[in-house]
Amino acid sequence: MSFATPKLIDIVKKQFLFKWKGYRPFFTNLVILQAIAIIFSLGGIGSSSHGREGVNVSESIYSADFVLAFTMLWAFIVAILLTSKAYREADFVFITNRFTAQLANVAFLFTISVIGAITAILSRNLLWMITYFSSDNITFVKEAALHPSEYVMGGIATILYVFLFSAVGYLLGSIVQMNKMFAFILPVVFIALLILFGMQEQYLLLWLHEFYYQEDSFIWWFVKTGFTATAFFIASFYLLNRQEVSK
Amino acid sequence: MNIVQCNAVSKSYGNVAALDEVTFSIKQDTITGIIGRNGAGKTTLLKLIAGYWKHSKGDIHVFSENPFNSLTVSANMIYIDDQMTFPDAMPLHSILTEAARFYPNWDAKLAKRLFDYFSFHPNQFHDHLSKGKKSTFNTIIGLASRCALTIFDEPTTGMDEAVRNDFYRALLRDYIVAPRTILISSHHLNEIEHLLEDVLLIDRGRVKLHLSIDALQQYAIGVTGNQAVLSQWANDQEILFSKDDGENSLFLVVRNNVSKEKMDQLLGLGIKPTSISPAELCLYMTQLKKGGIDDVFRDA
Amino acid sequence: MNLDINSTKPIYIQIAEWIENEILVGHFKTEEKVFSQYKLAEVFNINPATAAKGLNLLSDEGILYTKRGLGKFVTADAKHIIQQKRKNGTLKGLILDSVREAKRLKVSEQELMEMITKAHKEIEGDEA
């Protein structure tokens, strides 16, 4: 009997496909979450109305921000789940080591980020359609027409944001796997930080907002966000790579 | 060639040693029974070999590599137990398809035949199976993957007797067709001894015996007789187990290396030695107390 | 076919004895091939290595011989060797048991010999 020496990339591919087939229910969850988000968004995120000389004009601003927020949350939770014991054990049923399992996880999270982002973007159109068909006398005022390259950049940005959230979830999940105590400590610390920063005029949150969200250069923003996600994953790799598969 | 080589391997949790300086090696293409009582360290040992857990001290080599985190070991090894978890949403037939994708030596025909023989339904979910059915399904994966190192950790949990026998028979027949190194742990040595070439007896984290099944069969003899007479006779023998059998009667298990002289002496006393089966021997050699459970009820 | 797993005899010896019986009754004839270790393993549901031990035991005793690449074959002397072996083995054991029992009962050697002669006569008388 010969001993196969496997190629790393082959095993990662196999693990990725295994997850892709096995974790279909995540996508059902995504559809449900996005549907809920659309329902929330139907009321519009802002409105004003003014009437003059018998004409009553009401303005509503519709946005798919809710859908995007829910999608990010979804990616965050999926990432945490992937680090949990049950999911890691399922990796080790078939051929893998810790590194290939993790690479397959990142590939899987990136794929779901792409799917999540694209469906979130498309849901904006759905939202318009629903509001269009459900009300009379309506005029759409779209945002100023975008250049196709701006659409692409918007798409990439959305994907990367969702991916970044999954990276945060993955890192938090990995920390909890190191010691279950963190499952209690982390939320407490998080809430404490919120309160603390709430008192101190939210310097950190403001800084985060400025650093990521308000970056004008797309390239710079891309580098910053991509780098952060990568750093989170590397940290997670380091934590999970030493873990025993406890059965 | 040795597939598994352990040199003074220990595994401890805090101060508790689950394995304590274990040394042994497993030859290629043998079926070895890993025998021991609950908590003896069988599972710990198998998980170290599989590379799931990390040893604390010593040297462990599987296919000449440290198994922990080794892709080569993982690619040539499969670990079957009753804890195997698969993605919830994956029906049995896709689990088999996935296994086939991973393992280059996968025998799809065998998998299909066993699957049908044990009347599984392709669209069932692993999670919905009964305990015995789960174990049965897992063993199908174990056999069909035809890995160079196949580890079965208590594979028959929950199976009824008929299925257990079917599994043992399937294991043997497939081994004859495709010889490979198989480790199978069990507390029921008598059920599997006919399959085995070697036995590794583990007791409280240590290797107690590592012998061929035939050597084990002839390893010890049992003698019963008058307490005073027998203890006098046995004082220069290697006693493996002793038990007071009530009124002045003593039962001893001694190494089967009694000299001809001593044997004649014994027979002269009217004591006929009985043979000790491998299963009995393993039981005797892993008693927690020399006198067994009766010691608990004995007045000080 | 089943082996007596609970028997006091190791499995490989039981295998060897089964082959011997087959030779004695003529199922395996002189210069004929006997079952391979794998065939034996399958038929008796045992590990092939155990079956091989049984075959090797018979080779060592001159009951079987190996043709390279072909398997194990029955030697010309096989039947004779088996008969001799069984005579020496079983009969000798019975006699030893009798001597020991006699010793315990304080029966002298001479007395025992007389008993044997008597038993001989009785059986011959029955047969006559």
Side-chain angles (χ1 to χ4, degrees):
Chain A
M1 192 164 275
S2 62
F3 308 129
T5 28
K7 277 209 194 103
L8 184 99
I9 191 70
D10 286 344
I11 301 300
V12 174
K13 266 191 224 159
K14 284 175 181 174
Q15 279 277 334
F16 170 77
L17 277 175
F18 179 48
K19 286 168 205 282
W20 177 247
K21 288 181 193 164
Y23 300 146
R24 291 277 160 84
F26 285 149
F27 298 106
T28 321
N29 298 342
L30 175 66
V31 171
I32 294 168
L33 277 177
Q34 290 189 338
I36 294 171
I38 286 171
I39 292 166
F40 277 141
S41 311
L42 281 178
I45 56 164
S47 64
S48 61
S49 65
H50 28 250
R52 197 188 301 155
E53 292 165 24
V55 182
N56 199 12
V57 178
S58 73
E59 276 177 20
S60 292
I61 303 166
Y62 292 97
S63 143
D65 282 357
F66 256 127
V67 183
L68 190 58
F70 272 41
T71 304
M72 286 170 169
L73 196 63
W74 168 76
F76 177 78
I77 293 167
V78 168
I80 291 181
L81 280 176
L82 286 187
T83 62
S84 69
K85 196 175 151 215
Y87 284 81
R88 277 189 298 136
E89 279 175 11
D91 292 344
F92 276 84
V93 161
F94 298 133
I95 301 172
T96 193
N97 64 8
R98 282 139 199 84
F99 189 56
T100 54
Q102 305 244 48
L103 283 181
N105 277 343
V106 174
F108 182 73
L109 288 174
F110 185 74
T111 312
I112 70 155
S113 301
V114 172
I115 292 171
I118 290 174
T119 50
I121 293 167
L122 291 177
S123 74
R124 185 164 24 182
N125 298 347
L126 183 67
L127 190 60
W128 281 338
M129 260 162 62
I130 293 170
T131 35
Y132 180 80
F133 285 113
S134 60
S135 47
D136 309 321
N137 296 326
I138 195 160
T139 308
F140 276 104
V141 183
K142 281 203 194 182
E143 300 154 68
L146 290 172
H147 190 265
S149 73
E150 286 176 306
Y151 270 118
V152 172
M153 277 201 279
I156 292 173
T158 313
I159 291 169
L160 206 50
Y161 267 130
V162 178
F163 190 52
L164 179 64
F165 266 78
S166 76
V168 175
Y170 201 73
L171 179 61
L172 294 181
S174 307
I175 293 171
V176 169
Q177 286 314 310
M178 229 172 42
N179 193 329
K180 294 285 179 301
M181 281 255 268
F182 285 112
F184 299 96
I185 294 171
L186 287 177
V188 172
V189 169
F190 181 70
I191 291 168
L193 281 177
L194 276 188
I195 295 168
L196 205 65
F197 286 120
M199 291 189 295
Q200 296 181 349
E201 294 172 6
Q202 308 192 349
Y203 279 135
L204 182 74
L205 292 179
L206 278 176
W207 178 81
L208 283 175
H209 186 73
E210 258 174 45
F211 187 75
Y212 291 108
Y213 197 68
Q214 296 201 311
E215 172 62 54
D216 288 332
S217 153
F218 178 76
I219 301 291
W220 257 119
W221 171 85
F222 186 86
V223 170
K224 278 184 196 173
T225 315
F227 183 79
T228 312
T230 311
F232 282 8
F233 278 120
I234 289 173
S236 313
F237 275 34
Y238 178 74
L239 292 177
L240 285 184
N241 209 29
R242 300 180 310 171
Q243 289 268 317
E244 294 186 324
V245 186
S246 50
K247 278 199 187 179
Chain B
M1 183 193 163
N2 289 336
I3 294 295
V4 179
Q5 177 80 53
C6 288
N7 292 322
V9 171
S10 300
K11 171 72 180 170
S12 37
Y13 302 96
N15 286 329
V16 186
L19 282 179
D20 190 9
E21 305 219 331
V22 169
T23 302
F24 68 94
S25 55
I26 302 288
K27 291 192 298 283
Q28 184 172 356
D29 296 346
T30 54
I31 308 182
T32 304
I34 313 292
I35 308 299
R37 318 223 350 200
N38 290 330
K42 304 190 291 288
T43 296
T44 306
L45 178 64
L46 293 177
K47 297 234 158 154
L48 291 182
I49 293 172
Y52 292 161
W53 292 355
K54 211 183 205 163
H55 64 286
S56 316
K57 266 191 286 176
D59 274 319
I60 176 163
H61 289 282
V62 178
F63 306 119
S64 320
E65 269 197 40
N66 179 358
F68 187 73
N69 228 352
S70 157
L71 201 55
T72 305
V73 170
S74 180
N76 293 287
M77 183 279 309
I78 192 156
Y79 187 102
I80 303 295
D81 68 358
D82 63 347
Q83 305 284 307
M84 291 174 88
T85 42
F86 298 95
D88 293 341
M90 217 175 229
L92 298 184
H93 73 90
S94 5
I95 296 178
L96 292 184
T97 317
E98 287 304 294
R101 241 167 21 81
F102 274 95
Y103 295 98
N105 298 328
W106 181 262
D107 186 340
K109 205 167 104 190
L110 178 69
K112 172 85 174 80
R113 284 185 169 179
L114 289 170
F115 192 82
D116 292 341
Y117 176 81
F118 290 113
S119 29
F120 284 102
H121 192 280
N123 291 326
Q124 275 175 308
F125 289 102
H126 194 263
D127 225 27
H128 298 166
L129 297 174
S130 73
K131 209 173 183 184
K133 276 288 203 179
K134 262 184 202 164
S135 296
T136 311
F137 180 78
N138 298 349
T139 56
I140 293 178
I141 294 182
L143 291 176
S145 61
R146 291 212 167 149
C147 285
L149 175 60
T150 304
I151 300 177
F152 289 108
D153 187 11
E154 301 279 354
T156 57
T157 312
M159 289 184 191
D160 64 39
E161 198 182 338
V163 175
R164 288 205 298 275
N165 289 333
D166 281 343
F167 161 64
Y168 297 140
R169 178 90 179 134
L171 174 71
L172 182 71
R173 293 205 60 162
D174 199 50
Y175 170 76
I176 292 172
V177 180
R180 58 200 121 149
T181 311
I182 298 175
L183 303 178
I184 175 168
S185 83
S186 175
H187 0 246
H188 306 294
L189 179 56
N190 53 356
E191 272 190 8
I192 59 167
E193 65 179 15
H194 60 283
L195 297 176
L196 304 178
E197 184 167 341
D198 292 325
V199 170
L200 183 71
L201 179 65
I202 311 255
D203 186 39
R204 279 160 279 182
R206 288 166 182 269
V207 171
K208 199 95 186 193
L209 287 176
H210 187 196
L211 289 171
S212 77
I213 191 79
D214 303 304
L216 206 57
Q217 229 153 357
Q218 292 163 301
Y219 188 81
I221 51 173
V223 284
T224 311
N226 178 281
Q227 187 151 20
V229 177
L230 199 53
S231 9
Q232 161 87 51
W233 174 83
N235 61 8
D236 57 352
Q237 297 299 313
E238 191 180 336
I239 298 170
L240 304 171
F241 176 76
S242 74
K243 185 171 180 263
D244 295 339
D245 258 358
E247 295 303 302
N248 270 330
S249 174
L250 182 66
F251 171 66
L252 291 180
V253 176
V254 298
R255 262 303 290 276
N256 188 11
N257 55 6
V258 183
S259 65
K260 195 180 172 306
E261 216 172 289
K262 281 293 261 190
M263 188 56 86
D264 286 343
Q265 204 183 336
L266 190 68
L267 293 167
L269 291 167
I271 298 170
K272 256 205 136 171
T274 53
S275 69
I276 299 289
S277 76
E280 287 173 303
L281 179 68
C282 289
L283 199 65
Y284 291 137
M285 289 195 68
T286 55
Q287 287 286 339
L288 299 177
K289 286 253 183 182
K290 279 253 158 155
I293 189 75
D294 284 348
D295 274 6
V296 174
F297 298 96
R298 185 158 304 162
D299 297 324
Chain C
M1 267 172 280
N2 277 311
L3 294 173
D4 185 3
I5 299 275
N6 298 320
S7 156
T8 56
K9 282 178 187 157
I11 295 172
Y12 75 97
I13 293 185
Q14 293 185 54
I15 290 293
E17 284 180 355
W18 179 82
I19 296 171
E20 286 174 1
N21 288 340
E22 294 297 290
I23 292 171
L24 285 180
V25 297
H27 286 162
F28 294 134
K29 296 189 177 69
T30 304
E31 297 300 330
E32 256 184 22
K33 187 176 185 289
V34 297
F35 285 176
S36 71
Q37 65 177 108
Y38 299 105
K39 178 78 180 162
L40 287 169
E42 198 185 306
V43 170
F44 289 102
N45 202 24
I46 54 167
N47 188 296
T50 311
K53 258 179 217 169
L55 288 170
N56 289 337
L57 184 69
L58 295 180
S59 294
D60 293 346
E61 291 173 349
I63 295 165
L64 300 178
Y65 70 100
T66 310
K67 280 190 192 171
R68 266 201 188 284
L70 292 175
K72 302 254 186 216
F73 290 73
V74 180
T75 60
D77 299 340
K79 261 192 183 179
H80 180 70
I81 297 172
I82 297 165
Q83 280 160 351
Q84 284 305 314
K85 187 172 80 166
R86 293 204 174 176
K87 259 185 227 164
N88 289 336
T90 321
L91 196 55
K92 203 177 164 198
L94 287 171
I95 291 170
L96 278 173
D97 276 354
S98 310
V99 174
R100 284 193 194 101
E101 185 66 11
K103 238 182 153 180
R104 266 198 297 277
L105 299 172
K106 312 256 188 289
V107 176
S108 73
E109 190 183 335
Q110 202 185 344
E111 247 179 298
L112 183 64
M113 293 301 275
E114 279 165 14
M115 282 173 83
I116 289 172
T117 320
K118 204 177 156 199
H120 229 280
K121 274 181 187 154
E122 267 173 35
I123 288 169
E124 273 176 357
D126 286 349
E127 281 173 357

